[in-house]
Amino acid sequence: METQTKTKTQAKKVKPTAVRISGAEAVIKCLLEEEINLIYGYPGGAIMPIYDELYKYQDQLNHVLTRHEQGATHAAQGFARVTGKTGVVFATSGPGATNLVTGIADAQIDSTPMVCITGQVSSHLLGTDAFQETDIVSISTPVTKWNYQVTKASEIPEVLAKAFYIANSGRPGPVLIDITKDAQFGEIDFHYKKCKNIRSYFPVPKVDLEQVKDAAELINSAKKPFIIMGQGVILGNAENELKDLISKTGIPTASTALGLSGLETNHPLFVGMVGMHGHYAPNLKTNECDVLIAIGMRFDDRVTGDLNRYAKQAKVIHFEIDPAEIDKNVKTNVAVLGDVKETLKAIIPLIKKASHKKWHQEFKDLYDIEFMEVIKDQLNPKKEGLTMGEVLEGINKETNGEAVIVSDVGQHQMFACRYAKFNTTRSKITSGGLGTMGFALPAAIGAKMGAPQREVIAIIGDGGYQMTIQELGTIFQTKVPVKIVVLNNSFLGMVRQWQELFFDKRYASTEMVNPNFVKIAEGYDIEAQRVDKREDLQAAIQKMIACKESYFLEVIIEKEGNIFPMIPTGASVSEVRLK
Amino acid sequence: MEKQLITVCIYTENFVGLLNRVTTIFTKRHVNIESITASKSEIENVHRYTIVVKESPSLIEKIVRQIEKQIDVIGAFYHLEDQTVFQEIALYKMDIENVYEAKFKEIISSHHARIVEIEKNFVVVEKTGTKADTDALYNELKPFGLMQFVRSGRVAITKQRMNISEILLNNRK
Ligand SMILES: Cc1ncc(C[n+]2csc(CCOP(=O)(O)OP(=O)(O)O)c2C)c(N)n1
Ligand SMILES: [Mg+2]
């Protein structure tokens, strides 16, 4: 009572800051407060009040109607990965919400900031198996950084403020907010306060200078130091700090798949990618270095191979923002917790100038072996069939490493990681941790919308393309000029390769009989071309890059090509095979 | 490392669904939860889960970090057997017929148990102690017509100081 009279008397003197609006409108206003102007989504019964508000605010908020909710999540991820901003997704309850799960899981494991807002049945129906009721909060719990079900309109501003803060602070990740229909209809006095602190949440550990000193000492005394950088460097905007560190020390630096483009490919100290299909030298040298410096990476099993035989000889330094990653897979000697930009800034003055020419030369020598055994035949094949490597190299020639390369999952993904060249950061977008086929086409849409001035090229297999091919409809409707390259080997190539190598060539359900992809693209009014001869390849790529609109290029690839080098599962990085 | 009984103490916000979020972190790694209790804690508006597992400390350390990382978890800790004072409560529903035997009374008093309810057909005995204590009483009461038995999860107090209030204070910028 007391507070009520107070506001009443105040209202006479000053303009009230609160306005009475519906929960649904509050959702839109929250997005505007967070400077969101792009949403990917798909409507349905339980989220209709929010869509109705969206209609009123369409001059301020662009909603992109994808053709499937999974497409919306990947598009939001592509947008987030290329901009560093939070991707936003709307979906209805039930099947709309469950269709988000793959993309949410992908964003969780690849640390991508995303806020998903789902409609839910009215609160009095919760738990009754109502029409299109799914318990999406329980379903999404293990794959979200945070989630919450809103049942009262009054909760909306605070909960959404929290959602945006959590999604894009510390180690980023996906947040799902489920809003019941009655909460969307309910009325509230709207005022918004950005969330800056949650008492139980510690997004960035404080830098401990002792840890920094210990790490510096190890680096200064190292004879054969080796850096592996991950996506953390990109997420932490620490690309320049990393460059300063390696320029000062001359330490050979490799990247994980997700760290690619954080350091330009032609940097003299860049020695390639680590992991299952990474480069020969960095994999072998992992087991020869004396100090292994991991920066913003998490020792995924696709990077380490057999942990019992991984870098056992080395002292390990781990620069990391997430304390749960320390010692999770690889025991560290020195953990340097904190924002990687800060910790690298702190360590550089303590590092002695050095050069490790001889040690670096050993990497180059191994690269030469890899070049002769693997790369040369990819770039200048003597066989008739086209290789994935030569397509990527052809793209490099036309783009000069300036394009954003979005790849799907499979052999073509690993070729894209290994052969594409990058000059600028946030240029390699792929589904790393989850390995989600179908990621690339919608992610490329999001990436192009996030970076419209850049060339965005999706590299997709014939298998994965057909998992989200319906997003051609989104391209058709929005006219977003993405370039689509399908590397068609008529196989689920990566699985086929394993069948060839480890299952005596028993090709169980991996051969694909494919439709006429060019006709399909043309059906969506996308200019399209199919290439199956080497002599036509470069001109086709040129034509694609020159095109100002979206473009579809299908390249027929040799059917049974393999991606090498390879570390078979369970093997050590030392056992990386060249054939 | 050897598997052993470990008490995991988790200080949390009191939100719907959080317990589910925490338990999936154990189940993901195939760790079976021996017992679980949730209650308020010494700090206002802070809840506390006490979870007992049989596992190696090195694995639990990783799990505890993954729990602590959850947004609504304020702090998570694990303790070996000698680092906590812990108790469980057991209730035994006994058939009234044998209750008046001298031996029955003797058992109750030697175990420092007590009768908390007397009804027409049964009595309810309560015993607080360690699992070994309540098991011992179980074995002795069994022949006297044990109609129902139930035991709570462990509740534990750590010997070491807990700095939850400091954690909360320090996080207020
Ligand atoms: C959704 C999903 N289903 C299954 C897989 C397993 N898988 C990994 S790679 C791959 C083959 C991909 O084939 P394609 O898209 O043609 O690419 P290619 O390997 O031939 O380049 C499959 C089936 C996966 N990663 N994702
Ligand atoms: Mg294929």
Side-chain angles (χ1 to χ4, degrees), chain A residues 388 411-412 461-463 487-494 512:
Chain A
M388 295 188 177
Q411 291 180 314
H412 63 281
D462 47 317
L487 300 181
N488 184 355
N489 53 10
S490 297
F491 268 110
L492 299 174
M494 187 60 98
M512 301 265 266

Side-chain angles (χ1 to χ4, degrees), chain A residues 45-115:
Chain A
I47 197 168
M48 282 185 67
I50 293 176
Y51 270 82
D52 193 42
E53 292 301 331
L54 205 49
Y55 186 80
K56 297 177 201 158
Y57 284 86
Q58 53 188 299
D59 54 327
Q60 296 170 64
L61 262 168
N62 180 19
H63 177 273
V64 173
L65 176 68
T66 55
R67 294 303 184 262
H68 187 289
E69 289 86 352
Q70 184 186 348
T73 56
H74 296 327
Q77 287 180 279
F79 171 84
R81 292 269 287 268
V82 89
T83 59
K85 294 180 192 161
T86 303
V88 180
V89 175
F90 281 180
T92 191
S93 66
T98 56
N99 275 347
L100 301 179
V101 172
T102 303
I104 295 174
D106 197 289
Q108 168 85 339
I109 203 161
D110 281 352
S111 308
T112 307
M114 178 160 84
V115 171

Side-chain angles (χ1 to χ4, degrees), chain A residues 296-574:
Chain A
M297 58 82 84
R298 60 184 179 89
F299 296 107
D300 177 74
D301 56 280
R302 283 293 192 270
V303 161
T304 64
D306 181 11
L307 277 174
N308 297 318
R309 291 177 288 161
Y310 183 81
K312 288 293 176 200
Q313 82 294 342
K315 295 251 169 23
V316 178
I317 303 171
H318 196 171
F319 288 82
E320 178 56 57
I321 195 166
D322 178 0
E325 292 298 346
I326 303 298
D327 295 342
K328 187 180 82 177
N329 296 333
V330 171
K331 191 102 187 107
T332 49
N333 297 83
V334 180
V336 186
L337 280 168
D339 176 338
V340 67
K341 199 177 177 80
E342 280 179 46
T343 51
L344 287 181
K345 259 192 189 145
I347 203 167
I348 290 167
L350 309 182
I351 298 285
K352 285 198 246 138
K353 251 184 117 58
S355 120
H356 296 277
K357 280 223 173 78
K358 246 185 78 195
W359 166 238
H360 186 204
Q361 187 58 43
E362 293 177 30
F363 283 80
K364 292 183 191 161
D365 294 345
L366 287 171
Y367 178 81
D368 291 343
I369 295 175
E370 181 177 350
F371 185 84
M372 293 309 286
E373 299 265 335
V374 181
I375 299 171
K376 200 176 80 184
D377 286 344
Q378 274 295 322
L379 302 186
N380 298 300
K382 287 183 204 70
K383 51 195 167 188
E384 199 193 328
L386 285 152
T387 68
M388 295 188 177
E390 66 185 313
V391 180
L392 266 307
E393 184 67 3
I395 292 171
N396 287 337
K397 275 187 199 140
E398 301 306 324
T399 61
N400 296 315
E402 294 293 334
V404 177
I405 302 290
V406 185
S407 62
D408 210 73
V409 173
Q411 291 180 314
H412 63 281
Q413 172 189 37
M414 290 298 119
F415 277 102
C417 288
R418 290 174 49 81
Y419 290 87
K421 297 218 163 79
F422 308 104
N423 299 338
T424 39
T425 189
R426 293 185 181 275
S427 295
K428 179 74 187 79
I429 296 171
T430 194
S431 167
L434 205 64
T436 305
M437 284 173 71
F439 173 85
L441 185 61
I445 294 172
K448 183 69 189 177
M449 291 179 176
Q453 73 292 352
R454 296 193 66 189
E455 186 74 69
V456 175
I457 305 174
I459 308 286
I460 320 181
D462 47 317
Y465 184 49
Q466 293 179 81
M467 280 207 174
T468 49
I469 194 168
Q470 75 283 349
E471 299 310 332
L472 291 176
T474 310
I475 295 172
F476 178 50
Q477 186 167 353
T478 60
K479 302 267 177 287
V480 60
V482 294
K483 308 294 164 67
I484 307 157
V485 178
V486 166
L487 300 181
N488 184 355
N489 53 10
S490 297
F491 268 110
L492 299 174
M494 187 60 98
V495 181
R496 188 211 53 75
Q497 175 170 347
W498 284 47
Q499 290 171 331
E500 178 186 332
L501 298 177
F502 311 119
F503 294 87
D504 290 330
K505 279 203 169 191
R506 289 185 297 274
Y507 290 170
S509 293
T510 44
E511 190 157 11
M512 301 265 266
V513 179
N514 286 319
N516 185 329
F517 288 129
V518 167
K519 268 195 182 164
I520 291 174
E522 284 169 354
Y524 287 97
D525 216 11
I526 296 169
E527 196 178 338
Q529 190 181 355
R530 178 176 196 261
V531 167
D532 57 5
K533 285 191 206 64
R534 184 156 292 125
E535 57 266 32
D536 300 335
L537 179 64
Q538 202 58 35
I541 295 171
Q542 244 169 37
K543 190 171 173 206
M544 170 180 81
I545 301 298
C547 182
K548 292 276 171 283
E549 286 157 17
S550 54
Y551 194 93
F552 174 81
L553 174 64
E554 175 186 9
V555 184
I556 306 301
I557 300 292
E558 55 171 338
K559 282 186 102 172
E560 297 185 41
N562 284 335
I563 172 89
F564 280 110
M566 177 174 194
I567 304 166
T569 19
S572 146
V573 284
S574 301

